[in-house]
């Protein structure tokens, strides 16, 4: 008998077909959002699950599912998974790094350019019929070329952003939990600085660090106050890294020039203060959303699930295990 797995949200039909060659698949192609109770009920008797970044897999859920052996997240971020609880229970957890790095960095650039050069605000201005004549100071923004980029969190995506910055003749500063090897810094032309220096010296600050208790509200009122009044702030990482209430206030009072946000605290809800200020570009968590990349993420999550559950002779080893310590004592 094939093991049973759940795919919590709609994904590409051919990925479901791929999984169905190995498992009895309980899919959700109608894309209903499963709340905690519905998720628990649908996971009863399942050996594995392909989750989305919005599905919470916490200690309570894990304790209620003694047959669960693998949780494969279709996202690089995994703050929705309680990794210590999964590890203690002997459950393999995987994510989808690498396949989304370049696409996400491209989008970071789109958000940065749109924010600095007021692209969405300009479009609204035009569509609203407010464009009557040219004027020297109409919708003037901040330069990207030749400016200073500050990258907070210098993992794969941060490094891909830094590589792009070379084409814009930018000075690249970064701050990270651990400093990169000197050879990588040289290749990226990036200089390690303290978080304070990064905030004070950057023209454009981009957040690409993982979310967890240690990065909750890493950017709040005090940090926004350290930034240049001409600076932009771009959040590509996770809601909760920025205190959205403090940011809305800083944008309203023009304490900073503008922000570009793809992620929000409590999304899909957005802080009402962010919806009423013009100097913010808002996108609905789409940084990895190219056709090719979303397909690669779904396929990687599916292959991870097949491998983690040893489902078939060609199963192999899961490619991106978050908790490798579990491999010796898997359920
Ligand atoms: C998206 O936010 C991801 O973590 O992949």
């Amino acid at each position: 008998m094939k093991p049973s797995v759940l795919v919590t949200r709609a994904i590409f039909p051919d990925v479901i077909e791929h999984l169905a060659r190995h498992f009895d698949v309980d899919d959700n192609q109608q894309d209903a959002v499963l709340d905690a109770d519905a998720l628990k009920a649908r996971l009863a008797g399942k050996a594995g699950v392909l989750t989305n970044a919005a599905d919470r897999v916490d200690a309570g859920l894990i304790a209620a599912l003694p047959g669960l052996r693998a949780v494969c997240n279709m996202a690089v971020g995994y703050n929705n998974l309680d990794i210590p609880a999964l590890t203690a229970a002997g459950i393999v957890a995987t994510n989808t790094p690498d396949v989304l790095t370049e696409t996400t960095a491209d989008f970071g650039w789109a958000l940065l350019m749109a924010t600095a050069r007021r692209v969405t605000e300009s479009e609204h201005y035009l569509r609203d019929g407010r464009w009557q004549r040219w004027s020297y100071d109409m919708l003037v923004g901040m330069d990207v070329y030749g400016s200073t980029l500050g990258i907070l969190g210098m993992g794969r995506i941060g490094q891909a952003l830094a590589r792009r910055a070379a084409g814009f003749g930018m000075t690249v500063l970064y701050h990270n939990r651990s400093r990169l090897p000197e050879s990588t810094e040289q290749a990226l032309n990036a200089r390690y600085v303290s978080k304070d220096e990064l905030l004070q010296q950057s023209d454009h600050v981009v957040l690409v660090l993982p979310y967890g208790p240690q990065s909750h509200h890493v950017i709040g009122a005090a940090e926004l106050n350290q930034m240049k009044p001409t600076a932009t702030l771009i959040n590509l990482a996770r809601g909760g890294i920025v205190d959205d209430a403090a940011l809305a206030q800083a944008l309203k009072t023009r304490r900073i020039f503008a922000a570009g946000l793809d992620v929000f605290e409590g999304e899909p809800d957005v802080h009402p203060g962010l919806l009423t200020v013009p100097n913010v570009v808002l996108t609905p968590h789409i940084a990895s959303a190219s056709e090719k990349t979303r397909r690669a993420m779904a396929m990687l999550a599916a292959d991870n699930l097949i491998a983690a559950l040893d489902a078939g002779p060609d199963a192999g080893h899961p490619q991106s295990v978050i908790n490798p310590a579990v491999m010796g004592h898997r359920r």
Side-chain angles (χ1 to χ4, degrees), residues 11-65:
I11 57 168
F12 301 94
D14 52 300
V15 176
I16 299 283
E17 281 162 29
H18 178 53
L19 286 168
R21 285 193 274 278
H22 303 265
F23 304 116
D24 276 333
V25 181
D26 179 5
D27 68 42
N28 179 11
Q29 289 300 77
Q30 60 282 31
D31 213 22
V33 176
L34 305 176
D35 65 17
D37 287 341
L39 187 60
K40 182 153 68 168
R42 288 283 281 268
L43 276 173
K46 303 287 189 323
V49 58
L50 194 155
T51 48
N52 164 284
D55 299 315
R56 294 211 67 75
V57 179
D58 57 21
L61 181 68
I62 294 162
L65 300 167

Side-chain angles (χ1 to χ4, degrees), residues 109 112 143-151 165 168-174 191 193 197-206 228 230-232:
W109 223 263
L112 194 161
D143 274 321
V144 174
Y145 184 83
S147 65
T148 297
L149 177 66
I151 301 174
F168 285 83
M170 295 172 100
T171 300
V172 180
L173 307 177
Y174 80 96
R191 187 157 63 85
V193 292
E197 284 175 276
L198 183 138
L199 293 171
Q200 289 157 13
Q201 292 174 22
S202 299
D203 297 307
H204 306 287
V205 174
V206 184
K228 297 181 185 179
T230 49
T232 73

Side-chain angles (χ1 to χ4, degrees), residues 53 74-78 96 100 236-238 262-263 285 288 294 297:
M74 186 181 141
V76 65
Y78 49 83
T96 57
L100 49 62
L236 279 185
R238 277 289 181 274
D262 187 48
V263 288
H285 204 148
S288 66
R294 282 286 163 85
M297 290 166 69

Side-chain angles (χ1 to χ4, degrees), residues 221 224-225 227-231 244-258 273-274 276-280:
L224 291 161
N225 271 328
M227 290 174 64
K228 297 181 185 179
T230 49
D244 283 350
L247 176 60
Q249 185 63 17
L251 291 167
K252 189 172 169 194
T253 58
R254 305 272 166 172
R255 180 58 203 76
I256 66 169
F257 180 70
L274 293 171
T276 51
V277 286
N279 49 341
V280 60

